[in-house]
């Protein structure tokens, strides 16, 4: 299955500005992309799923997967990669900021046979999906999980929702770095650790601090 990994290398992860400068955000975003590509290729190798991942990027990027450059908006660029007719093969979309994604977690996205499979993100987004129905289209940003559920219903397609802590944790905000430090062990974790981030407990709440 074709697996689209959207990536915007130019000024990514602006919501991490309180804790990372612009160059650091670009580096960190890149480590998360590497981890997602690594998890997909391990999953493919271990379970022979015939996954065909490629990065759908707004600009050229040097990484361990083919890259398609498309500088249109996220939704327009992704929709151009989804099945358009009943003869088109299915496609999956996996966001590049899923630093907790493991091969096992990603396997759950590919397990259901439904016309549309959605893995919601915390805060209303859609972190990963599979589209087999040509009438399904994405409409990202805002409460996109709700919108994608509605688009699936309007298409008359059947829906499976993947309830996964790892797939629901996209790394957008400083609080999400807690989850990376606690649950990830790939290059995003290494990068944060190397940059001096560690867990701190303040008044019973878990936060990150930087040394
Ligand atoms: N191809 C493509 N990918 C995008 C675009 N915008 C965001 N992405 C990718 O889509 C995923 C989700 O992105 P967001 O978390 O919404 O945006 P972000 O730019 O990473 O972070 P913020 O600046 O904090 O919103 C990430 O993998 C991004 O790299 C876009 O316009 N085109
Ligand atoms: C692209 C967007 O991501 P978020 O801004 O929720 O991280 C969405 O999933 O609709």
């Amino acid at each position: 299955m074709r697996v689209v990994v959207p990536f915007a290398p130019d000024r990514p992860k602006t919501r991490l500005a309180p804790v990372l400068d612009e160059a650091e955000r670009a580096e960190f975003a890149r480590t998360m992309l590497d981890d997602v590509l690594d998890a997909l290729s391990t999953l493919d190798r271990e379970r022979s799923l015939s996954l065909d991942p490629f990065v759908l990027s707004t600009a050229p990027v040097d990484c361990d997967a083919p890259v398609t450059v498309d500088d249109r908006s996220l939704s327009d660029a992704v929709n151009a990669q989804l099945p358009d007719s009943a003869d088109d093969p299915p496609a999956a979309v996996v966001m590049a900021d899923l630093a907790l994604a493991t091969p096992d977690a990603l396997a759950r996205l590919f397990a259901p046979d439904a016309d549309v499979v959605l893995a919601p993100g915390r805060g209303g987004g859609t972190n990963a999906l599979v589209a087999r129905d040509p009438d399904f289209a994405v409409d990202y940003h805002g409460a996109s999980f709700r919108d994608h559920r509605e688009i699936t219903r309007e298409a008359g397609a059947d829906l499976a929702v993947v309830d996964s802590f790892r797939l629901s944790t996209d790394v957008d905000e400083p609080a999400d770095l807690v989850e990376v430090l606690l649950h990830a062990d790939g290059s995003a974790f290494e990068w944060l650790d190397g940059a001096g981030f560690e867990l701190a407990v303040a008044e019973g709440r878990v936060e990150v601090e930087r040394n």
Side-chain angles (χ1 to χ4, degrees), residues 82-90 131-136:
L82 298 185
D84 222 8
S85 77
D87 296 333
D88 286 343
R132 296 186 174 89
D133 189 304
D135 292 329
F136 176 81

Side-chain angles (χ1 to χ4, degrees), residues 6-8 11-16 56-58 70 72-74 77 95-97 141 170 172:
F7 186 60
R11 269 170 297 174
K13 294 290 138 213
T14 53
R15 284 168 280 177
L16 291 176
L56 180 65
S57 181
T58 50
D70 187 333
R72 286 178 286 179
S73 74
L74 175 61
M95 291 312 191
D97 57 357
H141 300 301
D170 49 341
D172 290 330

Side-chain angles (χ1 to χ4, degrees), residues 97-169:
D97 57 357
L98 306 186
L100 275 57
T102 57
D104 281 351
L106 286 164
R108 297 185 53 203
L109 178 70
F110 299 103
D113 200 21
D115 298 330
V116 176
V117 183
L118 298 175
R122 288 187 305 171
T126 308
N127 285 352
L129 62 86
V130 172
R132 296 186 174 89
D133 189 304
D135 292 329
F136 176 81
V138 294
D139 182 5
Y140 284 113
H141 300 301
S144 70
F145 174 68
R146 181 186 59 190
D147 298 340
H148 290 150
R149 224 174 25 195
E150 182 60 17
I151 292 164
T152 303
R153 196 189 61 74
E154 283 168 4
D158 64 308
L159 171 67
V161 175
V162 181
D163 179 1
S164 161
F165 167 70
R166 287 185 176 277
L167 297 187
S168 69
T169 306

